[in-house]
Amino acid sequence: QVQLVESGGGLVQAGGSLRLSCAASTSIRSINAMEWYRQAPGKQRELAAAITSGGSTNYADSVKGRFTISRDNAKKVSLQMDRLKPEDTAVYYCKAVMDWNVFWGRGTQVTVSS
């Protein structure tokens, strides 16, 4: 069983940066993939970035070139967000995929002001 805790959200001005972290209760080596989803007000939850245990990454077109997902250590993944835009405002959720199971964090709020 995996527990996920997100941190690093907050309020920033457009053009600024934030670094989100997702701490897992088990080694990321045991997890097939780690993903960051986000849900903006009035919109469906969408995949922002993903990284596999092998290090392959994938990004939504809307964040490509601005966001970077990485593994900080065996139990933590991060999402570096640069050149933030007001449309990036959303609750960001960490998701872990392991074998047949999917685990979700409770989310962290990111608000970008203009």
Side-chain angles (χ1 to χ4, degrees), residues 7 14-15 52 58 71 75 97-98 100:
S7 62
T52 68
N58 184 49
R71 295 183 297 176
K75 294 186 177 182
V97 180
M98 184 171 66
W100 305 93

Side-chain angles (χ1 to χ4, degrees), residues 4-48:
L4 304 173
V5 180
E6 302 100 331
S7 62
L11 174 64
V12 298
Q13 292 183 327
S17 298
L18 281 176
R19 186 177 181 86
L20 305 183
S21 294
C22 176
S25 60
T26 189
S27 174
I28 297 177
R29 282 192 173 189
S30 301
I31 301 174
N32 301 119
M34 296 289 290
E35 303 172 346
W36 283 98
Y37 278 75
R38 66 182 186 179
Q39 187 165 22
K43 297 184 179 180
Q44 296 184 9
R45 188 173 299 186
E46 64 174 357
L47 177 67

Side-chain angles (χ1 to χ4, degrees), residues 16-92:
S17 298
L18 281 176
R19 186 177 181 86
L20 305 183
S21 294
C22 176
S25 60
T26 189
S27 174
I28 297 177
R29 282 192 173 189
S30 301
I31 301 174
N32 301 119
M34 296 289 290
E35 303 172 346
W36 283 98
Y37 278 75
R38 66 182 186 179
Q39 187 165 22
K43 297 184 179 180
Q44 296 184 9
R45 188 173 299 186
E46 64 174 357
L47 177 67
I51 186 168
T52 68
S53 59
S56 298
T57 59
N58 184 49
Y59 300 93
D61 289 340
S62 58
V63 309
K64 193 173 299 182
R66 299 188 297 117
F67 289 12
T68 303
I69 187 170
S70 61
R71 295 183 297 176
D72 297 338
N73 54 52
K75 294 186 177 182
K76 185 183 294 184
V77 295
S78 295
L79 183 68
Q80 178 66 41
M81 306 185 294
D82 298 317
R83 302 190 303 280
L84 284 162
K85 304 174 181 179
E87 49 263 46
D88 293 320
T89 295
V91 177
Y92 285 72

